[in-house]
Amino acid sequence: MLGAIEAGGTKFVCAVGDAKGTIQERIQIPTTVPEETMPRVVEFFKKYDVEAIGIGSFGPIDVNQESPTYGSITSTPKQGWRDYPFVQTLKELFGVPIGFNTDVNAAALGEASLGAAKGLDSCLYITVGTGIGAGAFVQGKLLQGLSHPEMGHILVRRHPDDKYEGKCPYHHDCLEGLAAGPAIEARWGEKGMHLVNRPEVWDMEGFYLAQALMHYILILSPKRIILGGGVMHQPQVFTAIYHYLPKLIHGYVTLPELSSYIVGPGLGDDAGVVGALMLANIANT
Amino acid sequence: MLGAIEAGGTKFVCAVGDAKGTIQERIQIPTTVPEETMPRVVEFFKKYDVEAIGIGSFGPIDVNQESPTYGSITSTPKQGWRDYPFVQTLKELFGVPIGFNTDVNAAALGEASLGAAKGLDSCLYITVGTGIGAGAFVQGKLLQGLSHPEMGHILVRRHPDDKYEGKCPYHHDCLEGLAAGPAIEARWGEKGMHLVNRPEVWDMEGFYLAQALMHYILILSPKRIILGGGVMHQPQVFTAIYHYLPKLIHGYVTLPELSSYIVGPGLGDDAGVVGALMLANIANT
């Protein structure tokens, strides 16, 4: 039996299951401070005989196995979690192998293993929600270099009608600062769920995301692109991306039919937790 | 003995050497049309008993081994080379394994094997010359997905003082359209070599390249970045990049000391041809 933790900024999903991605039991735990959240995580896994645990965590995290702080959350502004030694804590308590990567890299692995990119050795998983992040599965492995990717903060060109200054505390009007859920709410004065009948909202969203996808395609050349997260529950955003992306790329690279190349998650909201099971499986072998 | 071809848009460099990257003999052949250029390539290699040949080619090229047109140059505007079956031609003539990748991927491999990224499993090689292209070595392999990267055509935000419309036939003012050698010449009215004493030229160049590097770093997280090509012979461009890049990233990701992270090629102008030797070696094993 394998354990999985999808450690998000608002909630943790803990699950047990198998290497085929079948989830046997799961719980949700609110993400407050480690002293509250982690004992509940531990209590859940103590009930099972897990051989390994996979963690897909909010970040930034230290994924460099040669680093002295490997397995920690690093510079998060989230109270209590800065420098939290996630892997070390679980390793000491359970004495089993621990897989560790970003939440979005885990989701990319889940989708490549069992979801919308099943059978491919390459995909990109992008979440557009309270933030924007992306994980990449490249030539059969999760992308890692100096660290994990931080694709949500690339710069985009502004829509000519957009006067909103941007919400990113680091870069103001980077992609996340202009196109994540909180930016939509701040720009239009209401949460996205109340803006369903405002086509200009989703057209602008697609305008920004298409630029990001152009960059990801030119730099990584993924075999499939999966877009998840709350904002992508608006199908109009996909439509706008299919409209803008070919105009931007302008025939320079040849892409598959966009409606099968840029898709929603095959695992729905389970991409992350299934990916964490896969991380456990890799750590166990 | 291994053969290497660095197939550039203006000249081919053919060489023979060994798996350690030692070049025994080399020639240069002008790139005209295949009927003229290729017989001279063949004549050169016929003199040696090569076990394999590696090609680092101008692009775009088909690097997908499952494609029926694998090993061809594809949609180049270069007369005579469109759909040229590079690998197939040499395979039929020499009957040896042929390695095939882009010129910039070959250079990345060369630099990772024996140059400025020696010992690292990850680097990015960017050439800034008559065009802008980049190759990536990721987790010990040359990056490949749907196809090879085409990083030179990403979009950048314009410098407030730049009125030049851009030179890219596909995207006008993408990175290549604003920052490759021909764009410098068109904007300032003279070739770069005559603009050495115009600091504003190189400051603007660094402004654009720093944006590109920010994107490459956030998306690929390379362990070292190597900048080659004619434009990078101006050390002022490195200075401008070191100035602009930290302002753009604004502390969001932690980078090594920039002067050792973003460097010139360790192999000088030989990165491509040495990389092609390494491609031959990989094809031969």
Side-chain angles (χ1 to χ4, degrees):
Chain A
M1 180 173 281
L2 300 170
I5 304 173
E6 186 189 9
T10 56
K11 66 172 194 286
F12 275 40
V13 179
C14 297
V16 288
D18 63 26
K20 290 178 186 158
T22 310
I23 291 170
Q24 189 183 311
E25 196 64 55
R26 74 165 84 198
I27 55 160
Q28 281 193 19
I29 300 166
T31 312
T32 58
V33 290
E35 297 71 34
E36 279 179 13
T37 303
M38 290 306 293
R40 298 189 56 191
V41 170
V42 172
E43 178 190 40
F44 174 75
F45 288 114
K46 284 281 187 203
K47 294 189 286 174
Y48 305 96
D49 185 25
V50 291
E51 297 158 64
I53 299 172
I55 306 167
S57 176
F58 69 90
I61 62 176
D62 186 346
V63 289
N64 175 4
Q65 300 217 21
E66 282 150 38
S67 157
T69 54
Y70 167 74
S72 300
I73 294 173
T74 59
S75 59
T76 179
K78 222 177 154 47
Q79 202 211 323
W81 294 94
R82 193 186 178 104
D83 300 325
Y84 181 71
F86 212 149
V87 169
Q88 193 191 326
T89 302
L90 291 179
K91 211 169 192 122
E92 283 170 7
L93 282 163
F94 292 95
V96 296
I98 311 286
F100 187 60
N101 219 307
T102 61
D103 45 5
V104 278
N105 258 348
L109 179 62
E111 288 292 327
S113 306
L114 296 158
K118 190 174 170 179
L120 300 179
D121 69 350
S122 153
C123 77
L124 197 61
Y125 177 90
I126 304 160
T127 181
V128 188
T130 51
I132 299 181
F137 190 65
V138 174
Q139 288 165 304
K141 289 172 87 168
L142 289 175
L143 180 60
Q144 187 175 321
L146 197 61
S147 181
H148 54 78
E150 286 285 3
M151 303 191 206
H153 291 261
I154 63 169
L155 301 179
V156 285
R157 289 183 182 174
R158 282 178 158 279
H159 191 287
D161 297 337
D162 189 11
K163 306 289 174 241
Y164 177 56
E165 74 272 20
K167 215 179 169 61
C168 174
Y170 292 90
H171 316 109
H172 305 293
D173 58 356
C174 67
L175 177 70
E176 180 172 296
L178 290 174
I184 296 174
E185 185 179 350
R187 178 189 295 111
W188 303 99
E190 285 188 279
K191 282 192 188 296
M193 66 181 86
H194 304 304
L195 295 163
V196 177
N197 296 319
R198 298 272 300 276
E200 69 275 24
V201 172
W202 311 107
D203 182 79
M204 188 180 283
E205 185 69 11
F207 174 88
Y208 286 128
L209 291 175
Q211 282 188 56
L213 296 196
M214 178 189 185
H215 287 165
Y216 302 155
I217 290 166
L218 292 176
I219 294 171
L220 277 173
S221 196
K223 291 187 180 170
R224 194 155 294 154
I225 295 175
I226 298 148
L227 283 159
V231 172
M232 298 312 299
H233 291 158
Q234 290 299 324
Q236 307 167 72
V237 183
F238 282 96
T239 310
I241 290 170
Y242 300 152
H243 171 75
Y244 282 113
L245 185 61
K247 291 182 195 294
L248 287 169
I249 290 187
H250 208 249
Y252 189 70
V253 294
T254 306
L255 296 177
E257 167 64 32
L258 291 187
S259 60
S260 60
Y261 181 56
I262 300 167
V263 299
L267 301 172
D269 294 334
D270 280 353
V273 69
V274 169
L277 272 182
M278 299 297 115
L279 286 174
N281 190 42
I282 292 169
N284 201 31
T285 51
Chain B
M1 179 174 281
L2 300 169
I5 305 173
E6 186 188 9
T10 55
K11 66 174 194 285
F12 274 40
V13 178
C14 297
V16 289
D18 63 25
K20 289 179 185 156
T22 310
I23 292 171
Q24 189 183 314
E25 195 65 56
R26 75 164 83 196
I27 55 160
Q28 282 194 18
I29 300 166
T31 312
T32 58
V33 290
E35 297 72 33
E36 278 179 12
T37 304
M38 290 306 292
R40 298 188 56 189
V41 170
V42 172
E43 179 192 38
F44 173 76
F45 288 114
K46 283 283 187 201
K47 294 188 285 174
Y48 304 97
D49 184 25
V50 291
E51 297 159 64
I53 299 172
I55 307 167
S57 177
F58 69 90
I61 62 176
D62 186 345
V63 289
N64 175 5
Q65 300 217 22
E66 283 150 36
S67 157
T69 55
Y70 167 74
S72 300
I73 294 173
T74 60
S75 60
T76 177
K78 218 172 158 47
Q79 201 211 326
W81 293 94
R82 194 185 178 103
D83 300 326
Y84 180 72
F86 212 149
V87 169
Q88 193 191 326
T89 303
L90 292 179
K91 211 167 193 125
E92 283 169 8
L93 283 163
F94 293 95
V96 297
I98 310 286
F100 187 60
N101 219 307
T102 61
D103 44 6
V104 277
N105 258 348
L109 179 62
E111 288 291 328
S113 306
L114 296 158
K118 189 173 171 179
L120 300 179
D121 69 349
S122 153
C123 77
L124 197 60
Y125 176 90
I126 305 160
T127 180
V128 188
T130 51
I132 299 182
F137 189 66
V138 174
Q139 288 163 304
K141 288 171 87 168
L142 289 175
L143 180 60
Q144 187 173 322
L146 198 61
S147 181
H148 54 77
E150 286 286 2
M151 304 190 204
H153 291 260
I154 63 169
L155 301 179
V156 285
R157 291 183 181 173
R158 281 178 158 279
H159 191 288
D161 298 338
D162 189 10
K163 306 291 174 242
Y164 176 56
E165 74 273 20
K167 215 179 171 61
C168 174
Y170 292 90
H171 316 109
H172 305 293
D173 58 356
C174 67
L175 177 68
E176 180 171 296
L178 291 174
I184 295 174
E185 184 179 351
R187 178 188 296 110
W188 303 99
E190 285 188 277
K191 282 192 188 299
M193 67 180 86
H194 304 304
L195 295 163
V196 177
N197 296 318
R198 298 272 300 275
E200 68 275 26
V201 172
W202 311 108
D203 183 79
M204 188 180 283
E205 185 69 13
F207 173 88
Y208 287 127
L209 290 175
Q211 283 187 56
L213 296 196
M214 177 189 185
H215 288 164
Y216 302 155
I217 290 167
L218 292 175
I219 295 171
L220 277 173
S221 195
K223 292 187 181 170
R224 193 154 297 155
I225 296 175
I226 298 147
L227 283 159
V231 171
M232 298 312 299
H233 291 157
Q234 291 298 325
Q236 306 167 71
V237 182
F238 282 96
T239 310
I241 290 170
Y242 300 152
H243 171 74
Y244 282 113
L245 185 62
K247 290 181 195 296
L248 288 169
I249 291 187
H250 209 248
Y252 189 71
V253 293
T254 305
L255 297 177
E257 167 65 32
L258 292 188
S259 60
S260 59
Y261 181 55
I262 300 167
V263 298
L267 300 172
D269 294 334
D270 280 353
V273 69
V274 168
L277 272 181
M278 300 297 115
L279 287 174
N281 189 43
I282 293 168
N284 200 30
T285 51

